[in-house]
Every structure is written in structure tokens, then in C-alpha cells.
Amino acid sequence: MKIGIADTTFARVNMGAVAIDELKRHATLRIERYTVPGMKDLPVACKKLIEERGCDLVMALGMPGGKDKDKLCAHEASQGLQLAMLMTNKHIIEVFVHEDEAKDDRELAWLLEQRTREHAVNAVKLLLYPRELERDAGTGQRQGFPDAGPARQ
Ligand code: RDL
Ligand code: RDL
Ligand code: RDL
């Protein structure tokens, strides 16, 4: 199995390096990396990782800034990622951390790293251990900040 890592120079943490570190802790996989300037460049990078570099699943790592135009940009990038998934019939795990989710740079760095790590685990499960996701269905999982938990205790 081969996992693709698409990340950006715009993000304020090296999300690609974090993802690769986490993936290596959980599975022996071949990894292909493709770094682009910003999140709107991610959809084609992901599609190329799948179609030209043979990836079975790709993680798209990006950091939308806090301004309205960045949020619009994030929505556009996300739609591109959805399209790339439907065109290739492969999962693209979108790991976006909005800069304004965090109260300061320290929390932002933590969140960028933590959400990336937790979604790397999701990527491994989707690809290799789908039963583990099924086991967690309906449990209010979140990535980064604490899980919401099930509504019914
Ligand atoms: O194709 C070159 C750029 O247009 C592309 O890299 C954009 O994704 C860059 N970019 C913006 O132009 C912008 O207004 C980004 C953001 N905001 C953003 O919030 N996060 C990004 N890129 O990763
Ligand atoms: O590909 C990995 C994630 O991007 C994807 O699973 C998203 O659907 C997760 N997600 C968000 O990123 C988000 O901001 C979800 C929500 N909000 C939401 O409200 N409900 C979800 N997922 O099921
Ligand atoms: O309910 C609090 C948060 O879950 C909510 O604000 C999410 O929208 C935050 N979020 C994103 O904005 C996003 O782009 C999340 C993800 N991606 C994600 O992949 N996983 C999350 N939250 O748990």
C-alpha cells in the first residue's frame, strides 16, 4: 500500500513531516510526498499522487488563514478535493486547520500537529483496518481538540 502526502508551504507547521512521522509509527507503507504553495494547489497534487504516482490514499494537509477570503479559498480547495476523490474513486483525507481555531501561535502549532497525527491514524485505519472505524461509529470523534463523545451515555 502507498500513501500520498500533499502539503503546503503556506501552513505554519511542517504538516507533511508530522504526517509521515505518525504513519511510520502505525504501518509499513510506501509514502510519496508532494508539497505545493497553498491549499488551492492541493487537489491536483492529490490527483497526480493517485494517478501518476500510484497512491491508494492521500492526505491533503492545509492551513486556511483566518480572513474571509481564506475561508472562501478553503471551501474552493475542499470542493476540488471532493472532485478529485470522485474522479479517482480514492479517499483523500482533508486535514485542514483554520488559523483562527487556535487562540495563539502555541495552540495553533499544537492543533496543526495533533489533528494531522489523528487523521494519519484515520488514514491507516481506512486503508488497512476498516473494522476499527466501524467500532468507533457514532462515538463523536474529533481531531485535535477533545472528542465530543456520544450524545447518549
Ligand atoms: O495557486 C497559487 C495560490 O493561489 C494558492 O496556493 C492558494 O491556495 C494560496 N492561498 C491564498 O491565495 C489565500 O488567499 C492560500 C490561502 N489564502 C490560505 O488561507 N491557505 C492556503 N493558501 O494554504
Ligand atoms: O477527510 C477528513 C475530514 O476532513 C472529513 O472527515 C470531514 O468531514 C470532517 N469534518 C470537518 O472537518 C468539519 O469541519 C466534519 C465536520 N466538520 C462536521 O461537522 N461533521 C462531520 N465531519 O461529519
Ligand atoms: O465542533 C468544533 C470543531 O470540531 C469544529 O469547529 C470543526 O469545524 C473544526 N474542524 C475544521 O474546521 C476542519 O477543517 C475540524 C476538522 N477540520 C477536522 O478534520 N476534525 C475536527 N474538526 O475535529
Side-chain angles (χ1 to χ4, degrees):
M1 288 288 185
K2 198 190 261 194
I3 289 200
I5 299 295
D7 67 343
T8 70
T9 59
F10 191 100
R12 298 181 60 207
V13 157
N14 187 340
M15 298 173 80
V18 171
I20 291 167
D21 178 70
E22 188 67 26
L23 289 172
K24 287 187 170 162
R25 291 170 195 245
H26 298 279
T28 307
L29 296 155
R30 285 177 298 156
I31 293 172
E32 293 277 335
R33 185 165 178 182
Y34 191 155
T35 304
V36 294
M39 63 189 167
K40 280 203 271 186
D41 312 310
L42 288 172
V44 74
C46 292
K47 187 164 173 282
K48 284 161 78 78
L49 281 166
I50 292 165
E51 291 182 346
E52 297 175 6
R53 289 159 75 173
C55 294
D56 299 288
L57 178 152
V58 175
M59 295 180 71
L61 309 165
M63 192 206 73
K67 304 235 166 75
D68 281 352
K69 52 170 120 31
D70 299 318
K71 294 191 192 298
L72 185 62
C73 220
H75 181 253
E76 287 160 352
S78 191
Q79 287 197 310
L81 292 171
Q82 303 293 323
L83 200 56
M85 279 194 263
L86 296 175
M87 290 172 88
T88 58
N89 234 13
K90 300 273 193 257
H91 282 288
I92 298 172
I93 299 292
E94 180 197 288
V95 186
F96 280 6
V97 172
H98 296 256
E99 199 170 11
D100 60 6
E101 284 185 75
K103 62 178 181 305
D104 54 31
D105 278 5
R106 188 185 149 95
E107 187 175 64
L108 179 65
W110 170 83
L111 184 59
L112 281 158
E113 176 162 349
Q114 190 60 26
R115 184 166 296 157
T116 300
R117 288 192 184 280
E118 291 188 38
H119 270 316
V121 174
N122 281 334
V124 171
K125 288 180 180 173
L126 265 176
L127 210 49
L128 301 174
Y129 313 108
R131 287 271 168 195
E132 292 198 20
L133 288 174
E134 202 178 310
R135 199 195 58 207
D136 283 345
T139 57
Q141 298 294 310
R142 299 292 184 271
Q143 294 75 35
F145 291 123
D147 295 339
R152 229 189 333 241
Q153 297 304 320

